[in-house]
């Protein structure tokens, strides 16, 4: 037997499965890269903002130097936007970094973290990586059951993850439900409110989670530049919490966890209201386009508040994998969700109108 390295809980981790890269699908299925449509990673189909490109070109001149490890300028831009002091902000290498930092800072072996069934895969990874116990609370209508999550808290619970909207199901929790939850969670349990898709919420769904951070010292809100801001490849996100939390995250983060190009691009994107509005508009139009097609095809889907839709493509547990493979052969990359316990479903990221149309045409052929 070869030597086994590392603790059991690390060996037990199932690696994160991301969306397949376009180049890989082109190689595997002998397709032209230019013909491939990728609707698999909830990226921004409009690409990155021009304003961010310009900022990056300027930042390129300084790449021989380390980034500003404290992200002074980006924090200043966030301070101006969210009206919180700079020491309430933690920058992350993507918001995944913030989620992982929380697991490292607030959990240890012998303690537990709570998250919902069908919720973002990184919660499970982050909890397992520190040897803590996961309490997975059954979903209600594919979303979080906050009453059940509150009831699941045990003496050793130290961390709770809530995604709003949730990935991969797109479900949304109204503000009042979250507020009631926060008011009842014990103050020594840290709540991570993961708002990676917040910028896609409709006007009637929007709420002020940052004002909750001012009231609840055990709350951290995480956001990202990967989705509506169109900067997924740069890896930049942030968390907002009171200094008792940020101080701990700051102790364990890598000193230069956000690179200088990412910082420069994020400042530009944050202030590019036009790009953000356009992203939200393209998304809501794409949502209508996809869901109309699902209705025509009589396919069940979960109403989504994010930039993706979970759709049931068959009634047997091989359906998701089968339809996914058939779509790949036609150059359409979507996301299978069997690893989430949803083998009959696929998650489709909302694309540009022509990308959505290509996907819908391929889906019709595959299901015919
Ligand atoms: C719910 C949720 N949180 C966080 C993330 C992490 O995104 P990033 O690390 O790119 O900020 C994602 C990405 O898919 C997500 O779906």
């Amino acid at each position: 037997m070869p030597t086994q390295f590392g603790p059991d809980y690390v060996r037990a981790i199932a690696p994160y499965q991301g969306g397949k890269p376009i180049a890989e699908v082109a190689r595997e299925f002998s397709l032209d890269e230019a013909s491939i449509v990728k609707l698999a990673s909830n990226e921004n189909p409009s690409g990155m903002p021009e304003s961010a490109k310009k900022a990056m070109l300027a930042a390129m001149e300084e790449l021989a130097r380390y980034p500003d490890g404290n992200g002074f300028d980006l924090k200043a831009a966030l301070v101006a936007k969210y009206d919180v002091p700079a020491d309430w902000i933690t920058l992350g290498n993507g918001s995944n970094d913030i989620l992982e930092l929380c697991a490292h800072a607030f959990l240890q072996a012998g303690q537990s973290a709570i998250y919902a069934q069908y919720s973002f895969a990184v919660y499970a990874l982050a909890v397992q990586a520190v040897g803590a116990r996961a309490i997975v609370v059954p979903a209600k209508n594919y979303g979080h059951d906050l009453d059940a999550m509150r009831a699941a808290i045990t003496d050793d619970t130290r961390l709770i993850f809530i995604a709003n909207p949730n990935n991969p199901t797109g479900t949304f929790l109204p503000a009042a439900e979250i507020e009631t939850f926060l008011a009842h969670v014990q103050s020594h349990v840290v709540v991570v409110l993961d708002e990676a898709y917040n910028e896609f919420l409709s006007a009637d769904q929007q709420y002020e989670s940052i004002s909750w951070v001012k009231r609840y010292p055990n709350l951290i809100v995480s956001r990202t530049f990967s989705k509506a801001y169109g900067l997924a490849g740069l890896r930049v996100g942030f968390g907002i919490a009171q200094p008792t939390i940020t101080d701990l995250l700051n102790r364990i983060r890598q000193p230069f966890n956000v690179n200088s190009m990412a910082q420069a691009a994020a400042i530009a994107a944050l202030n590019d209201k036009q790009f953000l509005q356009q992203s939200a508009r393209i998304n809501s139009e794409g949502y209508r386009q996809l869901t109309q097609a699902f209705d025509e095809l009589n396919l069940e889907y979960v109403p989504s508040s994010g930039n993706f839709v979970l759709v049931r493509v068959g009634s047997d547990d091989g359906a998701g994998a089968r339809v996914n493979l058939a779509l790949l052969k036609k150059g359409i990359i979507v996301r299978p969700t069997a690893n989430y316990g949803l083998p009959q479903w696929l998650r489709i990221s909302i694309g540009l109108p022509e990308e959505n149309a290509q996907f819908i045409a391929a889906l019709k052929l595959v299901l015919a």
Side-chain angles (χ1 to χ4, degrees):
M1 259 257 297
T3 313
Q4 291 205 308
F5 297 112
D8 291 346
Y9 59 80
V10 170
R11 283 198 303 275
I13 292 175
Y16 180 78
Q17 294 173 339
K20 268 180 178 286
I22 289 178
E24 186 182 316
V25 173
R27 273 195 307 275
E28 230 174 274
F29 297 94
S30 305
L31 297 166
D32 175 10
E33 274 192 31
S35 72
I36 292 175
V37 172
K38 185 182 177 210
L39 303 175
S41 300
N42 301 347
E43 294 149 340
N44 193 320
S46 302
M48 66 185 291
E50 285 303 319
S51 56
K53 267 186 212 169
K54 257 195 222 143
M56 284 176 73
L57 283 176
M60 205 163 72
E61 298 301 327
E62 291 296 320
L63 280 184
R65 306 215 176 268
Y66 283 100
D68 174 357
N70 289 318
F72 182 87
D73 290 337
L74 176 51
K75 282 187 188 170
L78 291 165
V79 163
K81 177 152 181 162
Y82 293 109
D83 191 26
V84 291
D87 65 355
W88 287 38
I89 300 169
T90 309
L91 301 181
N93 191 256
S95 59
N96 271 347
D97 196 16
I98 303 293
L99 306 176
E100 281 187 9
L101 288 173
C102 287
H104 280 280
F106 306 121
L107 286 176
Q108 61 186 42
Q111 296 179 335
S112 65
I114 295 177
Y115 52 85
Q117 180 190 23
Y118 311 139
S119 199
F120 187 40
V122 165
Y123 308 152
L125 291 175
V127 172
Q128 224 176 331
V130 296
R133 186 166 60 92
I135 300 176
V136 185
V137 176
K140 191 169 79 181
N141 300 326
Y142 298 99
H144 295 60
D145 181 343
L146 290 185
D147 289 338
M149 289 178 77
R150 182 148 58 90
I153 295 173
T154 63
D155 288 346
D156 63 16
T157 301
R158 294 292 179 276
L159 190 61
I160 301 178
F161 290 103
I162 295 173
N164 199 40
N166 184 45
N167 174 21
T169 61
T171 49
F172 173 72
L173 290 164
E177 283 187 38
I178 303 177
E179 257 194 294
T180 305
F181 179 82
L182 291 171
H184 288 93
V185 168
Q186 295 87 321
S187 58
H188 66 279
V189 179
V190 173
V191 177
V192 180
L193 181 57
D194 175 351
E195 298 185 335
Y197 303 96
N198 175 274
E199 295 79 8
F200 295 111
L201 294 181
S202 59
D204 60 322
Q205 289 177 320
Q206 279 162 20
Y207 57 94
E208 292 291 327
S209 51
I210 309 300
S211 70
W212 299 337
V213 172
K214 294 175 184 170
R215 294 217 312 271
Y216 296 101
N218 59 330
L219 173 66
I220 174 163
V221 170
S222 68
R223 300 265 179 102
T224 183
F225 286 93
S226 299
K227 310 296 177 184
Y229 291 104
L231 302 179
L234 283 172
R235 315 303 304 124
V236 50
F238 60 96
I240 297 184
Q242 292 191 21
T244 35
I245 286 186
T246 27
D247 173 57
L248 286 184
L249 302 184
N250 195 41
R251 288 168 199 238
I252 55 169
R253 73 177 173 86
Q254 283 189 28
F256 302 107
N257 60 337
V258 182
N259 71 71
S260 35
M261 300 282 260
Q263 291 186 32
I267 294 167
L270 192 67
N271 293 315
D272 196 334
K273 287 202 182 102
Q274 211 185 339
F275 181 85
L276 204 61
Q277 279 167 2
Q278 177 196 295
S279 297
R281 181 180 50 76
I282 290 175
N283 192 62
S284 56
E285 287 167 9
Y287 180 74
R288 273 195 296 279
Q289 188 184 2
L290 288 179
T291 51
Q292 262 170 22
F294 297 152
D295 285 336
E296 274 169 37
L297 289 164
N298 252 329
L299 297 177
E300 183 188 353
Y301 60 89
V302 180
S304 172
S305 299
N307 63 345
F308 53 88
V309 192
L310 186 70
V311 59
R312 188 180 225 146
V313 290
S315 52
D316 64 282
D317 284 354
R322 196 169 56 242
V323 173
N324 180 55
L325 180 63
L327 287 170
L328 281 175
K329 288 179 180 166
K330 295 186 179 307
I332 311 282
I333 315 175
V334 297
R335 185 69 76 89
T337 49
N339 60 324
Y340 281 100
L342 295 161
Q344 303 176 358
W345 302 73
L346 291 173
R347 191 196 68 192
I348 321 298
S349 302
I350 297 169
L352 296 173
E354 53 277 20
E355 295 175 318
N356 299 331
Q358 249 177 281
F359 158 72
I360 291 165
L363 184 67
K364 283 182 177 163
L365 287 174
V366 166
L367 294 179

